[in-house]
Amino acid sequence: MPIAGIYGPDDFGNPVHGHSAMQARSRVSPAERARALPMPSLEWTPEVERVTAHLYERVKNVISPVEWPFMAPYVRAINELKKARGAVILAHNYQTPEIFHCVADIGGDSLQLAVEATKVKSDIIVQCGVHFMAETSKILNPNKTVLIPDSRAGCSLASSITGADVRLLRERFPGVPVVAYVNTSADVKAEVDICCTSSNAVQVVESLQAPTVIFLPDQYLAKYVASQTEVKIIAWKGACEVHERFTGDELRAYREADPSVQIIAHPECPPDVLAEADFTGSTAHMINWVRSKHPKRVVMITECSMADNVQAELPDVEMVRPCNLCPHMKRITLPKILDSLVYLREEVIVDPVIAGKARRSVERMINLKN
Ligand code: SF4
């Protein structure tokens, strides 16, 4: 059914949240310098070539032999420092292949990373993804050190809403339960009843057994959920700046050029895009769909590094890559990951009271029975 209403900060007389001005990346502080390990050599040598050869095998379909000598010294240094620090690296599906396939210990979508974060034994987690993901890891691991290689890696969805907005929505709709997509700040997670990801959004909404649910902040995911359930959905005016740019016309053009092509899309896309897709699903569901169907040619309507990561794994599937990059995800690079491990920076801090409340919303989602 269509969504029952859609709200934004302007509906409460508040200024519309823009992208907050990003602070310059901080310099290495004296405390960080004091706990630093020596910066490893970053020369391309026969030894580096030899010890990284098995990793290059994983990505040779998507990274050229000309590029690898610039990446391999970082890959080797990061993998050695990771061991020295006893750290684990979590990487989202939208990270570039040299990160996703060559230095990450665990890769996946937001739900997979949130679940894996609860099982991590290491005392140090390096989160290769955007800030709300690192916050989620910290919320679930309050006693561990969680690092993000660049704390400016934000998200247009997370910055579209605040905890104060959620309190105003609750005043406007008393008694209506609130579901927050994980793409939200800890402050927002602390105010809601339960979190969800794009993998489990419909299941989470229906688990509340309420006739109406407030679903925030992604208006398009809200519309997708509303199309899959009888529950009445009240939405928020947030959007992913990457998925919002795709259009139905673009998908029709792919199909006209090759009627046999398969098109799979992420539910953060607008409805006219999803109407043209052969399959709609979260990043994890999209990857599983390609693995199981093994199409000859496929267009993945999502952030473009994911197609590279799947291409590295499945070289015989031809990927058409519409390239909508997430500028926030792309802030995470090999040099910054190395920097994180050398200096143990940038540490993610969440107020313990907010973290405690937010943990309840995230754990309630994780503990939902399938
Ligand atoms: S791809 Fe969209 S939802 Fe994901 S981090 Fe980037 S802006 Fe946020």
Side-chain angles (χ1 to χ4, degrees):
M1 68 172 80
I3 54 174
I6 180 160
Y7 292 81
D10 44 336
D11 294 304
F12 301 116
N14 294 338
V16 179
H17 311 301
H19 295 274
S20 49
M22 287 291 172
Q23 305 231 315
R25 194 157 178 261
S26 62
R27 289 172 185 276
V28 177
S29 69
E32 287 166 344
R33 210 168 283 289
R35 63 187 182 224
L37 291 177
M39 181 63 82
S41 157
L42 294 170
E43 254 185 277
W44 169 242
T45 62
E47 167 69 359
V48 172
E49 184 172 11
R50 190 183 63 74
V51 300
T52 59
H54 67 294
L55 296 171
Y56 186 59
E57 269 303 298
R58 296 182 190 170
V59 292
K60 65 180 185 195
N61 300 311
V62 287
I63 294 177
S64 72
V66 178
E67 292 171 287
W68 186 243
F70 296 95
M71 296 176 178
Y74 282 98
V75 167
R76 183 182 75 162
I78 289 167
N79 285 330
E80 284 182 355
L81 268 179
K82 194 169 67 174
K83 271 194 214 133
R85 288 290 197 191
V88 66
I89 297 184
L90 307 185
H92 188 265
N93 289 324
Y94 295 163
Q95 292 293 298
T96 48
E98 69 279 11
I99 295 173
F100 191 81
H101 288 292
C102 301
V103 301
D105 299 290
I106 299 164
D109 68 2
S110 307
L111 178 60
Q112 290 165 324
L113 295 182
V115 171
E116 291 303 328
T118 62
K119 302 179 190 160
V120 161
K121 297 272 184 297
S122 317
D123 288 332
I124 300 173
I125 298 173
V126 181
Q127 188 90 31
C128 296
V130 295
H131 194 264
F132 76 79
M133 296 176 179
E135 262 192 352
T136 307
S137 289
K138 181 66 182 177
I139 287 166
L140 295 171
N141 293 279
N143 300 321
K144 294 185 194 282
T145 301
V146 176
L147 306 172
I148 182 162
D150 188 334
S151 61
R152 297 170 303 169
C155 170
S156 62
L157 281 170
S159 65
S160 72
I161 187 162
T162 65
D165 292 324
V166 181
R167 290 192 290 276
L168 289 167
L169 277 167
R170 283 203 190 274
E171 274 172 31
R172 173 85 58 110
F173 301 102
V176 177
V178 185
V179 175
Y181 195 23
V182 282
N183 298 37
T184 44
S185 64
D187 196 30
V188 167
K189 290 183 175 85
E191 296 290 338
V192 304
D193 296 287
I194 185 167
C195 288
C196 76
T197 70
S198 50
S199 290
N200 62 15
V202 177
Q203 185 200 359
V204 166
V205 163
E206 293 187 341
S207 75
L208 296 168
Q209 300 188 338
T212 306
V213 164
I214 299 170
F215 186 97
L216 51 88
D218 186 349
Q219 58 182 298
Y220 298 121
L221 183 59
K223 285 178 184 166
Y224 174 71
V225 170
S227 75
Q228 305 291 307
T229 181
E230 294 301 311
V231 179
K232 235 197 245 173
I233 302 290
I234 295 167
W236 186 254
K237 284 179 191 162
C240 161
E241 67 189 80
V242 174
H243 291 95
E244 191 183 33
R245 290 209 302 272
F246 292 107
T247 64
D249 283 348
E250 199 180 340
L251 270 64
R252 278 188 288 281
Y254 287 122
R255 219 183 276 290
E256 272 162 32
D258 176 2
S260 71
V261 78
Q262 296 290 298
I263 303 180
I264 61 176
H266 193 279
E268 286 172 13
C269 295
D272 67 317
V273 172
L274 301 187
E276 296 295 329
D278 297 298
F279 173 77
T280 298
S282 66
T283 55
H285 290 157
M286 289 167 90
I287 294 169
N288 288 339
W289 188 93
V290 178
R291 279 186 189 136
S292 65
K293 304 270 182 204
H294 227 91
K296 197 163 160 293
R297 270 187 111 211
V298 64
V299 191
M300 293 185 120
I301 301 295
T302 188
E303 210 273 350
C304 54
S305 288
M306 196 172 94
D308 289 340
N309 290 329
V310 178
Q311 182 76 90
E313 183 191 326
L314 302 169
D316 51 336
V317 175
E318 191 189 335
M319 299 279 166
V320 182
R321 296 188 179 85
C323 207
N324 279 3
L325 276 174
C326 173
H328 312 291
M329 288 279 178
K330 270 40 204 185
R331 284 189 183 274
I332 309 300
T333 59
L334 289 175
K336 288 181 192 165
I337 299 170
L338 180 61
D339 212 43
S340 249
L341 287 163
V342 167
Y343 297 108
L344 293 183
R345 72 196 297 257
E346 304 179 39
E347 188 169 356
V348 177
I349 307 286
V350 182
D351 176 289
V353 176
I354 290 176
K357 290 188 195 165
R359 195 175 308 123
R360 278 204 303 269
S361 306
V362 179
E363 286 180 344
R364 197 171 167 197
M365 167 188 76
I366 291 174
N367 295 335
L368 260 194
K369 296 271 173 289
N370 288 321

